[in-house]
Amino acid sequence: MLRVEDLKKDYVIEDVVTPALQGVSFKIDNGEFVAIMGPSGSGKSTLLHLLSFLDRPTSGTYSFFGKHIEDLSDEKLAEVRNRQMGFIFQSFNLLGRSTVYQNVELPLLYSNIPHRERPSLVEKAIQNVGLEEKLHVEANRLSGGQKQRVAIARALVTDPKVIFADEPTGNLDSASGGQVMEILKNLHQSGRTIILVTHETYTAQFADRLLFLKDGLLAEDKPMPKGHRTNFFK
């Protein structure tokens, strides 16, 4: 599905070059659940931004379903990102005074999906996260766990090929975090590709594979042992 080869990213501030990624290579197949871990400053967020087209690499190659991103304009990348990628963030990024329905509908406003088809897509996405009874409730009246479930529904509504989850349980208690991870696990079992950035080992254990970054390099790429992962949420 995606392949990166010798991917590098430097940040330049006042002629000072700071390398964030120093030559990372791997591929992710369609339907995988991959966790990206590493200490602070290891390059996790930088890698996520590159994989999700939110930034461009300094050098190296990145192909997404056979298309090299260096061959695509910023406008085309934004179009692909909106149609084929879903995003879940630690801070939820919801519109507090908008309803659950309105928040989930938001990505469709920037799509080519006909207006008549949108209500059923929104309602289906909300059903997938078990919030049908909150359809017309404003987001600022929800609990943290419910807000993250709305964010997952918003990520699903365009039927993306890959979901990027950036510390999705970071602002949640253990019970709410467990609910969110169970939803992501079920989405993966239904065929979704999920790329998870996390610093929490118990969250990463829901993935099938671990990419561990250190000092901007890929230190490990291995299957994730399952252990007793659900016990962490009890």
Side-chain angles (χ1 to χ4, degrees):
M1 186 192 78
L2 64 83
R3 179 189 297 270
V4 299
E5 296 182 4
D6 198 26
L7 204 66
K8 298 180 181 180
K9 179 63 180 181
D10 296 332
Y11 293 104
V12 182
I13 301 177
E14 297 181 352
D15 297 327
V16 177
V17 178
T18 302
L21 288 178
Q22 303 188 58
V24 173
S25 301
F26 60 86
K27 68 176 182 177
I28 295 177
D29 293 328
N30 196 28
E32 281 198 86
F33 190 161
V34 179
I36 300 173
M37 298 188 72
S40 179
S42 61
K44 300 188 303 296
S45 296
T46 297
L47 180 58
L48 183 72
H49 290 163
L50 296 179
L51 295 181
S52 58
F53 301 168
L54 296 175
D55 201 356
R56 289 182 182 266
T58 302
S59 63
T61 61
Y62 172 23
S63 61
F64 183 78
F65 282 93
K67 295 182 179 180
H68 290 273
I69 68 166
E70 57 265 30
D71 298 331
L72 302 178
S73 66
D74 289 344
E75 292 76 13
K76 183 61 177 178
L77 289 180
E79 178 185 333
V80 174
R81 185 168 58 242
N82 187 59
R83 288 191 298 106
Q84 300 187 18
M85 297 178 177
F87 296 89
I88 306 167
F89 302 99
Q90 178 177 349
S91 57
F92 317 132
N93 290 357
L94 301 181
L95 301 176
R97 300 193 66 178
S98 296
T99 66
V100 169
Y101 183 100
Q102 291 167 333
N103 272 282
V104 175
E105 183 188 32
L106 194 59
L108 298 178
L109 303 182
Y110 304 94
S111 74
N112 296 322
I113 297 173
H115 287 271
R116 65 181 180 276
E117 297 179 14
R118 295 178 184 179
S120 63
L121 293 175
V122 173
E123 291 170 9
K124 180 181 178 182
I126 293 172
Q127 289 171 1
N128 283 337
V129 299
L131 286 177
E132 302 94 316
E133 75 283 359
K134 303 292 185 181
L135 198 66
H136 301 296
V137 175
E138 290 184 356
N140 58 14
R141 296 175 57 193
L142 301 176
S143 68
Q146 290 170 335
K147 288 178 180 178
Q148 194 60 293
R149 286 154 66 188
V150 174
I152 295 174
R154 182 183 57 192
L156 288 174
V157 74
T158 57
D159 193 25
K161 292 183 177 179
V162 57
I163 293 175
F164 292 96
D166 188 5
E167 301 281 4
T169 63
N171 283 337
L172 304 178
D173 59 38
S174 59
S176 298
Q179 291 176 347
V180 166
M181 292 311 301
E182 286 294 335
I183 292 172
L184 291 179
K185 181 183 73 172
N186 291 337
L187 291 173
H188 169 240
Q189 291 175 342
S190 69
R192 301 277 181 180
T193 303
I194 298 175
I195 299 175
L196 167 73
V197 170
T198 183
H199 68 279
E200 300 166 331
T201 301
Y202 59 82
T203 300
Q205 286 178 334
F206 278 78
D208 295 325
R209 176 182 169 198
L210 171 66
L211 301 180
F212 190 88
L213 299 181
K214 185 177 181 180
D215 298 328
L217 296 169
L218 182 59
E220 289 185 272
D221 181 353
K222 64 181 183 180
M224 175 59 75
K226 300 307 179 185
H228 300 287
R229 59 191 181 190
T230 56
N231 290 343
F232 289 97
F233 296 109
K234 293 181 179 179

